[in-house]
Amino acid sequence: MARLVSVNVGLPQDVAWQGKTVRTGVWKYAVAGPRMVRRLNVDGDGQGDLAGHGGEYRAVLVYQLDSYRHWQEYLGRDDFVYGQFGENFTVDGLPDDEVRIGDRFQVGEALFEVTQPRVTCYRVGLRMGEPQMAALLVSHRRPGFYLKVLVEGRVEAGQEFVKVDSGPEEVTVADIDALLYLPGHSRRQLARALRIPALSPGWRTSLEALLDQADGASGAAGGNAGLAPAVSPPPAWPGFRPLRVKRIEAESASVFSVTLAAPDGGSRPAASDGDPRPATPGIDPLPAAPGGGPLPAALPGQFLTVRVPSEGGGPSLIRSYSLSGPPGGAEYRLSIKQEPHGVASGYLRAHLRTGDVLECAAPRGAFTLVAGDGPVVFISAGIGATPVMAMLHTLAAERSSREVWWLYGARDGTEHPFADESRDLLGRLANAHRHVCYSRPAPGDRQGVDYHSRGRLSLDLLCGLGLPRGADTYVCGPPALMRDLPVALAASALAPSHVRTEIFGAGPSLTPGVTSASVAPVHPPAGPPGDGPAVSFARSGLTVSWSTAYMSLLELAEACDVPTRWSCRTGVCHNCESGLLAGSVDYSPEPLDAPAEGDALICCSRPREDVILDL
Ligand SMILES: Cc1cc2nc3c(=O)[nH]c(=O)nc-3n(C[C@H](O)[C@H](O)[C@H](O)COP(=O)(O)OP(=O)(O)OC[C@H]3O[C@@H](n4cnc5c(N)ncnc54)[C@H](O)[C@@H]3O)c2cc1C
Ligand code: FES
């Protein structure tokens, strides 16, 4: 019979770590006598970061004495105290390879149910002084597990764990942990695990994504769809390939479109093929050798990353542009806004000519139109129209019968790209609606024709339009729109089924527990520059040299204040998975499960050569 050896509690505290402050409740200490266990916590206990820990399904963390003995031997340590692994209950018995998800135990007055294995998080390594601990717990198949409190009550060290019910499907804690984090996600095992009612919602979502991947329904061809923040098919070609500029066209006062095609082996376009000016010094002429066959189809909503030559012949700039034209054709169309003082957009506007060649990485991105029959709402403003234009092209080409809403915001008619094109595409759909807002209409702009309302796109305005409930909603626009509208929309009475967003810059960071996260603009790292390969952070517009002073690309990114996402920092959780647009990396430690093709786990990798990351 398993026995409760120690009840451990600890409230969140601030801990210094790598020059930052982390708020964490991972330090737990043994308490004597009976303790009340409630739905969310043992009395006197707390979690520092409720997004990653705690809650109804993760109320009590259990760890086993047998694993204490294993780690003492493996790590050569003899200094462990109860609560060492951040657990609330230290138990004698209940090994991870015997306890099943859904098992129920009576301990003292309280009744518990097993819901999921431990969350993989760097903080157990912080507590242990062993940075690799999160990965070791998984690879040694000794994670420990969480309990849900079914009946609240007092418990005390020395009491027995009386098993009152067995989890269905016979899936143990060690089995389900391996199913998510280790390679070989058996479809049969996934289906079995998903039949367990007690499984926590977070794990259920991850395993469902893995099952979709196993069934080929997610479109993710590699990597771990249960862990990666977003998945998309692997890039159609590695690194960059040359594409020829076929046309350059004005779309509005500040936006111009660039149509790219596969090089044709060296012939220049005729003057009638678009811009008649000669090819530009500074931009490569057409290569003698073709750049590798016809263009693979992109998914509607994906973006292309381009090397833009810099004024004066310095290192090229890396910029991404969403594809705005009809996907699936022989050409890619980019639409670029000339930003005031924008280096790349200014250069392209001033110097790019028909016939020039641009080095481009393959289309990427998971902000793509999802097939279905339900209503679709496109919300965009300014240059944010580009990815949703590609989606609108797709629906129009299919003569889709879906209800489609096109909601767009611009300053005035001179800054309204794709006005005729979008109207024409919507006209080909059976059930389309359009609403355009101008924040400052020009005197010649006609209300009811060029635009419908004066002002900006806001939740109030959207709520008044009669949008369908449960629509698939796609949002892309300037920072002010992206900051509040998608969240407000998801919480509104409109209740879209999904709100998908595209951000034209660095994404939001995920730094669990760090309270002193910097919001400084990106910058080269302090200290003498490194002498290693060049590391480019494409979304942040920064290229720096690698230095062996850093343990990983993640550490270099942090030293530059490039926004990053991470949790375990040791190759397990895939939160740090980022697009590797060019170059290759070496891993140490090796990730437990490989990232998707074309991606890298930056927490455990270093550049083998010059690399470009989609960060
Ligand atoms: C996934 C993705 C898709 C994208 N899709 C598109 C797209 O379809 N079309 C598009 O146009 N862009 C798109 N972008 C944005 C694009 O990649 C560039 O970031 C953008 O064009 C600005 O690049 P830039 O070199 O011209 O400006 P930068 O030189 O990088 O400047 C960035 C910003 O700072 C401002 N700035 C620079 N210098 C100064 C100064 N001295 N004083 C004041 N302000 C200054 C500029 O006005 C600009 O707004 C996308 C980005 C991503 C990540
Ligand atoms: S942060 Fe977990 S895999 Fe990189």
Side-chain angles (χ1 to χ4, degrees):
M1 178 78 69
R3 197 171 50 86
L4 180 56
V5 176
S6 177
V7 177
N8 317 301
V9 298
L11 290 172
Q13 53 179 303
D14 287 341
V15 179
W17 172 76
Q18 297 193 352
K20 305 178 180 77
T21 303
V22 175
R23 186 142 188 86
T24 174
V26 75
W27 268 264
K28 311 278 185 216
Y29 300 98
V31 288
R35 274 279 153 156
M36 187 68 189
V37 185
R38 301 181 198 277
R39 198 173 60 83
L40 292 180
N41 268 319
V42 183
D43 272 4
D45 191 48
Q47 296 82 21
D49 158 32
L50 287 170
H53 301 271
E56 205 181 337
Y57 288 84
R58 299 178 300 205
V60 177
L61 180 61
V62 177
Y63 208 56
Q64 303 90 343
L65 267 190
D66 185 53
S67 290
Y68 268 66
R69 290 188 275 271
H70 172 83
W71 296 119
Q72 272 168 343
E73 194 174 319
Y74 182 80
L75 301 170
R77 289 180 51 170
D78 60 3
D79 58 342
F80 292 171
V81 293
Y82 293 140
Q84 184 77 35
F85 295 82
E87 79 276 15
N88 301 106
F89 289 174
T90 316
V91 294
D92 194 3
L94 302 186
D96 287 334
D97 58 0
E98 287 180 15
V99 172
R100 299 169 186 176
I101 304 298
D103 279 355
R104 290 184 174 187
F105 297 97
Q106 179 82 43
V107 186
E109 297 171 354
L111 179 65
F112 301 98
E113 183 173 66
V114 179
T115 55
Q116 65 162 79
R118 167 199 296 270
V119 172
T120 52
C121 166
Y122 73 111
R123 279 164 287 201
V124 66
L126 177 63
R127 165 74 175 96
M128 302 278 299
E130 306 279 353
Q132 312 288 312
M133 204 62 217
L136 291 173
L137 289 165
V138 176
S139 60
H140 288 229
R141 304 190 67 157
R142 291 176 177 273
F145 54 88
Y146 278 106
L147 298 174
K148 180 177 179 177
V149 181
L150 298 181
V151 176
E152 299 183 345
R154 281 169 302 174
V155 300
E156 188 173 358
Q159 288 173 332
E160 290 184 340
F161 270 72
V162 181
K163 189 166 176 182
V164 295
D165 208 351
S166 287
E169 304 296 339
E170 301 185 8
V171 178
T172 68
V173 170
D175 287 341
I176 204 165
D177 206 52
L179 196 55
L180 180 59
Y181 290 117
L182 300 180
H185 315 283
S186 140
R187 199 199 170 285
R188 196 178 57 85
Q189 281 283 81
L190 288 165
R192 266 177 66 190
L194 283 166
R195 286 197 292 268
I196 306 172
L199 183 66
S200 71
W203 274 68
R204 182 169 297 283
T205 305
S206 295
L207 298 190
E208 279 168 355
L210 275 175
L211 190 62
D212 281 353
Q213 188 178 21
D215 290 342
S218 69
N224 187 321
L227 297 174
V231 287
S232 57
W237 65 84
F240 286 70
R241 67 174 273 192
L243 298 182
R244 180 169 67 87
V245 177
K246 217 172 156 197
R247 283 188 300 283
I248 300 176
E249 294 152 308
E251 301 287 1
S252 73
S254 64
V255 176
F256 59 101
S257 283
V258 176
T259 300
L260 299 164
D264 57 9
S267 63
R268 292 275 173 203
S272 60
D273 203 8
D275 190 324
R277 292 168 291 184
T280 315
I283 296 187
D284 296 339
L286 270 176
L295 293 186
L299 297 176
Q302 287 196 305
F303 63 88
L304 214 63
T305 303
V306 179
R307 279 192 211 273
V308 180
S310 66
E311 203 91 47
S316 55
L317 309 160
I318 311 290
R319 296 290 185 271
S320 296
Y321 302 105
S322 300
L323 296 166
S324 62
E331 302 172 343
Y332 293 152
R333 185 180 74 177
L334 314 178
S335 300
I336 303 169
K337 177 174 184 220
Q338 184 179 7
E339 298 285 353
H341 312 289
V343 181
S345 56
Y347 184 92
L348 292 172
R349 182 68 177 253
H351 299 294
L352 193 70
R353 301 287 179 268
T354 303
D356 288 341
V357 166
L358 287 174
E359 292 285 327
C360 302
R364 290 182 180 245
F367 180 72
T368 52
L369 184 67
V370 176
D373 301 325
V376 188
V377 174
F378 297 120
I379 303 173
S380 67
I383 190 61
T386 49
V388 286
M389 274 302 292
M391 298 183 192
L392 185 59
H393 267 288
T394 302
L395 292 174
E398 291 168 357
R399 302 273 167 185
S400 172
S401 57
R402 298 176 79 172
E403 181 177 353
V404 176
W405 284 76
W406 180 259
L407 310 169
Y408 181 71
R411 193 185 62 191
D412 59 26
T414 67
E415 291 292 356
H416 186 172
F418 316 117
D420 293 340
E421 187 175 320
S422 58
R423 196 182 288 115
D424 174 53
L425 292 171
L426 290 162
R428 295 188 219 166
L429 294 168
N431 194 358
H433 309 261
R434 176 172 164 268
H435 190 97
V436 175
C437 301
Y438 283 174
S439 57
R440 273 184 282 152
D445 291 334
R446 297 158 301 170
Q447 189 159 13
V449 180
D450 304 311
Y451 71 103
H452 303 90
S453 59
R454 189 188 186 104
R456 292 179 200 278
L457 290 169
S458 64
L459 186 63
D460 281 352
L461 179 113
L462 300 183
C463 287
L465 289 178
L467 298 180
R469 285 175 60 86
D472 280 352
T473 302
Y474 300 83
V475 191
C476 185
L481 182 93
M482 301 309 287
R483 204 166 30 241
D484 303 326
L485 191 65
V487 177
L489 200 57
S492 75
L494 295 171
S497 67
H498 285 106
V499 182
R500 295 181 173 82
T501 57
E502 181 73 305
I503 295 174
F504 280 4
S509 53
L510 173 74
T511 57
V514 175
T515 55
S516 50
S518 166
V519 286
V522 297
H523 54 82
D531 57 2
V535 178
S536 299
F537 299 105
R539 287 175 184 250
S540 302
L542 180 71
T543 299
V544 294
S545 294
W546 171 255
S547 157
T548 49
Y550 302 101
M551 292 299 292
S552 64
L553 283 162
L554 172 59
E555 285 194 4
L556 175 63
E558 289 175 328
C560 302
D561 279 311
V562 168
T564 50
R565 300 175 62 79
W566 49 265
S567 176
C568 73
R569 301 182 71 95
T570 179
V572 189
C573 72
H574 287 227
N575 275 308
C576 70
E577 187 163 336
S578 309
L580 181 62
L581 298 167
S584 55
V585 298
D586 291 315
Y587 284 104
S588 175
E590 275 296 321
L592 296 188
D593 198 6
E597 194 183 325
D599 284 359
L601 297 182
I602 60 167
C603 72
C604 50
S605 60
R606 299 166 188 74
R608 188 183 302 156
E609 55 186 325
D610 290 356
V611 293
I612 302 176
L613 292 163
D614 187 26
L615 278 172

